[in-house]
Each structure stands twice: as C-alpha cells, then as structure tokens.
Amino acid sequence: MTVETGPQPQQRPNPQSSLSTQAARNLATTTKSVPQMQEITSRWLLRMLPWVEVDGGTYRVNRRLTYTVGDGRIEFVQEGAEVRVIPRELGELSLLRGFDDEDALTALAARCEQRDFRAGEVLVERGTAADRIHLIAHGRIDQISVGAYGDESVTAVLADGDRFGQDALLDSDATWEYTAVAQTSGTLLTLSRADFAAVTAAAPSLQRHVEEYSALPEQRQNRLGEAEIAMSAGHTGEHELPGAFVDYDLNPREYELSVAQTVLRVHTRVADLYNKPMNQTEQQLRLTIEALKERQEHELINNREFGLLHNAAFNQRIQTHSGPPTPDDLDELLCRRRGSKYFFAHPRTIAAIGREFNKRGLYPDHVDVGGQQVPAWRGVPILPCNKIPITKENTSSILVMRTGEDNQGVIGLNQTGLPDEFEPGVSVRFMGIDETAIISYLVTTYYSAAVLVPDALGVLENVQIARTSG
C-alpha cells in the first residue's frame, strides 16, 4: 500500500561562506613555464662534429692525386615493366670513365638486354665463362665465393645501381670467380662482349678510348687509387734509388658554407606591453634559433651538395646481409676504416639493432658521451639522429664516421664572429620597423660539412627496421 504525502519543501543550497578559488585567481599571479617546443631533439650530430672555422666562406680539401676508377652507381629509367639504362650513366663504369660520345653511349645502352630474376635464382656460376656485364636496376644479389678451406661465404651484397662482370667486356678468357645468387626478385640489364665489340667497331671514338684505357700502366696507383710514391726497400749495395714526389689533385673539392635564414617578426605592442615576467623577443628568438639548428642538422644529413648521406663514397656504402641490422653488419662497417668514432642511426633503427642483439643473446656496452650513457658496439657509441630518413618500405641507413682534421675524418664547417652575433655562429640583425609597427630581425647561421678522405664516412644502406614475425 502506497501512502501519499504532500509536496516536499525544496532544499536551499548552503550560502557561500568564503571567496571561491575561481574568483581568487583574478588576484593571483600564475606560475608559467617558458614556451615549449616539440621539435627540439638531442642533435647529437651537431654536438659531436668537430667544427672548423672557415673565415673565407670556402673550405678546400687538398688531397693526394687519386685516379678515378668510376665506382659510381648507375641510374635507370622505368616505363611500366620496361627498364632502360640512361646512356650517360654508362660513364660510371671505369672502362668508360671520361668517355662522352653521346651516340656511342646511346648505342651501347640500346644493346643492353633486360633480365628479370626471382629470389633464389643463380645468375652466374663460379668457374664458368664470363662474357657479359650485369647492371642491377633493382633487387639484391649475393656474391658467394669459396674460401681456402672449401667453405662457401658471402663476399659482397649488391643492390640497385651496382654491377658485376665488367672485366668480361675486354677479356675473352674471363671466368666468374664467384657465384651470384638473387636474394630478392628484381631486374638487371646485361651487355655482352659481342655487342660491346660491335659498337666499338662502328665507333672510332670508342675504339680510341678503349685502346687508351688498355694502355694505362697498372703501377701508377696504389690499392686506394692514389698516385704511387716510388721507393726501394730491402736492397743491398749501391742500388740506384728511384726518384719520388707526392703528386696533388689539381682540382680539389671545395665546400662553400651554406646558409639557413629566417625573418623573425614581433609587433611593437607585444614587445612593449607583454614583456614581464618573460621577455617576448628573447623567447621568440630562442625558439627560432632552436628550429634553425634542427634545420641545420637536417641539411648536414640530407643536403644533396654536402649532406653526409650523399657524400659517402660509393665504395664505402654496403648492404645488409639479411635486411635487419645485425652485429655482423656493424662489424663490416667498422672494418672498412680506422678509428671509427661514432655510429649515427634513427631511433627506430637503434631499436631494430637492439632486437637483433637480443636474438643473439648479446648485450651492447654503454659508454659515457658528454656525461650521458649511450649504447655502443665495439666501443663505438651508437647515437640517435632522427634526421636520417626512413623510406615507405621501412628501411633506413646507419652512418659511421671518423671525425677531426687531425684524423682525416669528417668535420663541420662554420664561421663565428659574425656581425650582430647573438650566440656563436648565429647572427640576429635588426631590420627595422615597418609602417604596421612590426619589428623585423634577420636570423642567420652558416654551416657545411666536409669528408676529408673517402674512408672517413661509411653507410649501411637499406636497413630493414620493421619488426618481423617469428
């Protein structure tokens, strides 16, 4: 049974007995942080590079005379499933280095035959006759040779732009010294000795070039391609000593300082009225300079003129043996140069390195760099650099370098003592106030990088960083 009652009296809220916190904030001074910025990174590359003062704006790298052997990579054009070599790219072959007859190069390019291969296919067999050169347009190929004890081992990994079998174009008795096995599917172009001879016979300029190439003495250079310094050792008696001198490169590489600039604009009303507790102009400059330095590090890695990824010598670029970055791959990077000082890799690549180490039960050492503990391999620190690009196929690169002028390594180039210098190497110039009361400042920094000798910088390319199943 339900008992009906009359209307209940409404409860009144308790009257406020003190000042509310919302109202109190109108009289309070808030504690504020300085403006934050997500783009700021550790910038290890800028911190670790030895910086050399370039007063004249240009740095010249004088080297001992080196004979160019044409070890650049070859580029192709693709139209659907058809792949063709760019004629002038054939000049990257040592045999055709310096040859510029466009008609003859075009004829050679037209004779190249396309061959598509599948993973696991044997492309050439060790010990068989070699009668053609192979130009790799796409894919990865292992060169497998037999050691002194009869065991097979991978001696090289070739990829896009590489080639093998150049000696077969001139040597009729050439044989393959290794077996080439496709690690992935891909495409290559082949040029036979017969086709090369046919084009040579029809092109007098090419014939003269081949004769001059064949007549070059082999003793004029050392194993690194530098002009030989004649000397005698181990002789007895009154042996006539050879005369010697050190020849220099007549056209040394010059690096001009690049520039990163921006115009910072601040309204006079902001600069006049809103400068406490923080100076607005100083905070604007601080964040602008941070962004400028981030751009500077990006250019040092990726700029096509002086960026490290583009200035690594082709014979100092290697491929991973299986895709992920294994300890064996890092060892191969280290063994190609003396005194390696730093590895640089994208943070995701460093994570992939850690996974490969964990699979093998390895735990890399940690070393102190600038008061911070960082992972290292063989005593060489592995430092993060998020400016190293990652491709859409989830591959990246790992750099290793020797640094310093005294070590014939990689150096950074800059200039300090600039007019209106705000901090070393960064200039902030007042540009005036326009008719809308906007103050303008020109913020400038100059920089570049130089590789003093080719083996100072190495790159492990096409590093697979995606997590694999299993």
Side-chain angles (χ1 to χ4, degrees):
M1 183 178 64
T2 303
V3 179
E4 295 184 0
T5 59
Q8 297 295 321
Q10 295 182 354
Q11 295 183 353
R12 296 180 179 179
N14 294 328
Q16 183 174 331
S17 59
S18 65
L19 183 67
S20 68
T21 55
Q22 290 84 355
R25 288 184 59 186
N26 293 330
L27 299 182
T29 299
T30 60
T31 301
K32 295 173 282 292
S33 74
V34 297
Q36 306 298 303
M37 183 175 176
Q38 295 187 72
E39 188 183 8
I40 299 174
T41 64
S42 55
R43 297 196 293 266
W44 279 105
L45 180 62
L46 296 188
R47 293 161 58 184
M48 296 298 106
L49 275 183
W51 291 93
V52 175
E53 193 78 14
V54 183
D55 293 329
T58 301
Y59 186 89
R60 177 181 298 158
V61 180
N62 289 312
R63 290 178 180 172
R64 184 175 162 187
L65 179 62
T66 301
Y67 294 95
T68 304
V69 295
D71 57 358
R73 295 207 171 159
I74 299 173
E75 296 183 5
F76 304 81
V77 292
Q78 181 179 4
E79 296 178 359
E82 182 182 357
V83 176
R84 292 179 289 106
V85 63
I86 300 173
R88 295 196 68 86
E89 287 295 313
L90 293 174
E92 294 296 340
L93 302 175
S94 59
L95 171 59
L96 298 175
R97 192 72 173 187
F99 182 68
D100 57 0
D101 187 330
E102 191 73 30
D103 294 336
L105 292 175
T106 302
L108 289 173
R111 296 266 185 160
C112 292
E113 299 178 359
Q114 181 174 336
R115 176 182 176 182
D116 297 321
F117 55 85
R118 63 184 184 279
E121 182 177 350
V122 177
L123 303 176
V124 301
E125 191 76 34
R126 179 176 178 268
T128 60
D131 65 345
R132 61 189 61 235
I133 185 175
H134 297 72
L135 313 176
I136 304 173
H138 178 65
R140 290 166 57 88
I141 297 173
D142 284 348
Q143 285 186 353
I144 302 174
S145 188
V146 178
Y149 299 98
D151 54 328
E152 292 188 345
S153 60
V154 177
T155 57
V157 180
L158 307 180
D160 304 10
D162 289 326
R163 71 273 185 187
F164 59 95
Q166 177 178 277
D167 293 341
L169 294 180
L170 297 180
D171 185 1
S172 58
D173 298 325
T175 58
W176 296 113
E177 299 178 352
Y178 47 79
T179 298
V181 180
Q183 190 176 11
T184 66
S185 60
T187 301
L188 56 77
L189 300 181
T190 65
L191 177 64
S192 68
R193 184 190 309 126
D195 287 334
F196 182 80
V199 175
T200 302
S205 60
L206 179 57
Q207 189 172 0
R208 289 192 300 271
H209 180 85
V210 172
E211 291 173 353
E212 293 173 359
Y213 173 84
S214 302
L216 288 175
E218 296 182 359
Q219 291 77 18
R220 291 178 56 188
Q221 58 193 43
N222 62 18
R223 64 182 180 84
L224 299 175
E226 296 175 328
E228 185 181 30
I229 301 176
M231 62 182 65
S232 179
H235 55 276
T236 59
E238 299 179 355
H239 184 78
E240 183 177 352
L241 299 179
F245 68 96
V246 181
D247 206 354
Y248 298 136
D249 188 351
L250 297 180
N251 297 295
R253 172 77 182 272
E254 291 186 347
Y255 294 86
E256 293 186 0
L257 291 183
S258 184
V259 61
Q261 289 180 312
T262 188
V263 177
L264 173 64
R265 296 183 175 90
V266 181
H267 199 286
T268 53
R269 184 187 303 171
V270 172
D272 292 342
L273 302 181
Y274 302 100
N275 265 346
K276 291 184 180 180
M278 300 176 195
N279 186 295
Q280 294 282 358
T281 303
E282 287 183 1
Q283 294 302 322
Q284 289 282 304
L285 275 176
R286 181 179 66 84
L287 297 183
T288 299
I289 291 173
E290 292 285 359
L292 213 61
K293 290 182 177 179
E294 292 291 331
R295 182 65 182 183
Q296 177 182 356
E297 187 174 64
H298 178 275
E299 292 291 302
L300 290 175
I301 292 290
N302 298 287
N303 187 281
R304 297 190 65 85
E305 295 295 325
F306 59 84
L308 299 180
L309 281 179
H310 295 281
N311 279 269
F314 286 110
N315 60 3
Q316 296 297 327
R317 304 185 188 200
I318 62 174
Q319 305 292 322
T320 61
H321 282 80
S322 59
T326 65
D328 295 337
D329 294 321
L330 299 185
D331 282 341
E332 188 168 353
L333 263 184
L334 291 177
C335 76
R336 287 174 173 256
R337 65 200 39 79
R338 59 177 173 82
S340 295
K341 199 71 177 289
Y342 305 107
F343 287 108
F344 287 96
H346 192 282
R348 289 181 57 191
T349 307
I350 296 178
I353 294 173
R355 289 195 297 269
E356 294 303 310
F357 281 15
N358 291 338
K359 287 181 182 178
R360 293 159 175 78
L362 298 175
Y363 301 94
D365 297 331
H366 282 71
V367 297
D368 184 277
V369 179
Q372 184 173 343
Q373 292 292 314
V374 298
W377 179 245
R378 308 293 189 192
V380 180
I382 305 174
L383 302 177
C385 179
N386 69 340
K387 312 306 186 302
I388 300 175
I390 295 177
T391 68
K392 61 182 180 180
E393 292 85 12
N394 275 319
T395 62
S396 188
S397 300
I398 298 175
L399 280 72
V400 65
M401 65 183 69
R402 180 176 68 246
T403 59
E405 278 189 305
D406 294 340
N407 291 327
Q408 300 183 104
V410 180
I411 58 174
L413 308 175
N414 69 350
Q415 186 172 343
T416 59
L418 301 170
D420 301 314
E421 194 169 58
F422 184 78
E423 61 180 57
V426 179
S427 170
V428 179
R429 294 184 180 181
F430 175 69
M431 297 177 62
I433 305 174
D434 64 15
E435 63 276 6
T436 60
I438 299 294
I439 309 173
S440 297
Y441 299 91
L442 177 64
V443 188
T444 305
T445 184
Y446 299 97
Y447 58 89
S448 187
V451 182
L452 298 187
V453 294
D455 76 342
L457 175 66
V459 181
L460 181 65
E461 297 185 315
N462 297 316
V463 178
Q464 182 66 43
I465 64 174
R467 187 184 297 271
T468 57
S469 59

